[in-house]
Amino acid sequence: MSQAESKEGLLAEVVPAVLPVEDFERGPLVGILIGSESDRDRLQPAIDELNERGISNELNVLSAHRNPQEVAEYSSRAAVRGVRVIIAAAGMSAALPGAVAANTDLPVIGVPLTSSKTVAGGLDAILSIVQMPPGVPVACVSLDGARNAAILAAKILAQGGGYPDAPPRPQVVT
Ligand code: RP5
């Protein structure tokens, strides 16, 4: 496999090895991606939950199949922008969470969505997210489970005191 074909080669192409920090706009703690404008309403509960908890967030519409390069760029730059968790939501074959996870070491929470073209009641999207091959994990919440995705993101952020309202960690008794 040539360097250009390897994962490292692809990432090097997307993000240069030396990153001028000023090239990156500081991001929020949670990045939300949806595969289509038609998904936006279903993610509103996640935005509401994060806002109620005072957790900064942003939402972008990026499709794994319509904007693959932009998905790779967003995902590979997220950590250096300060993003700590990515919520990726999509319907149908729902490749987006996996495509994101392939380009970042940040935890990725997938939200399977019902859509106008859903088959098997949304099982298409559920299986697409759950059945990630070994080595590229994606968490998966319930169908249209945007609020749960936000709560899970908050719990991840709370580990290590990553956000201001993190509850105190229990004391370890020795
Ligand atoms: C997926 O296909 C999207 O996430 C959406 O849920 C579904 C339908 O997309 P549109 O045809 O409405 O753009 O990519």
Side-chain angles (χ1 to χ4, degrees):
M1 181 184 288
S2 74
Q3 173 70 4
E5 289 166 340
S6 70
K7 184 180 174 191
E8 290 74 21
L10 180 62
L11 281 177
E13 204 174 287
V14 174
V15 179
V18 179
L19 300 170
V21 172
E22 61 271 19
D23 283 0
F24 293 91
E25 188 186 333
R26 186 82 187 159
L29 288 173
V30 176
I32 301 173
L33 294 182
I34 52 177
S36 168
E37 193 59 51
S38 65
D39 298 327
R40 187 180 289 272
D41 288 351
R42 288 197 180 76
L43 267 293
Q44 192 58 47
I47 295 169
D48 293 343
E49 186 70 34
L50 292 170
N51 288 344
E52 279 171 24
R53 291 168 182 258
I55 299 173
S56 57
N57 62 88
E58 67 184 7
L59 183 144
N60 286 285
V61 184
L62 289 176
S63 161
H65 58 283
R66 286 182 284 237
N67 320 100
Q69 186 70 24
E70 288 89 341
V71 169
E73 286 175 2
Y74 179 91
S75 307
S76 55
R77 291 176 181 180
V80 77
R81 292 179 59 228
V83 174
R84 301 275 308 282
V85 182
I86 297 178
I87 295 173
M92 300 183 75
S93 69
L96 182 60
V100 172
N103 286 288
T104 182
D105 286 327
L106 293 173
V108 178
I109 304 172
V111 186
L113 299 177
T114 52
S115 77
S116 58
K117 305 170 191 100
T118 288
V119 297
L123 192 58
D124 47 0
I126 292 173
L127 291 178
S128 298
I129 296 173
V130 167
Q131 287 290 78
M132 280 300 292
V136 186
V138 171
C140 182
V141 294
S142 53
L143 191 64
D144 294 329
R147 181 168 175 242
N148 266 6
I151 295 170
L152 181 55
K155 287 173 182 262
I156 293 170
L157 289 169
Q159 303 306 306
Y163 80 100
D165 295 324
R169 298 174 71 81
Q171 292 208 331
V172 177
V173 180
T174 54

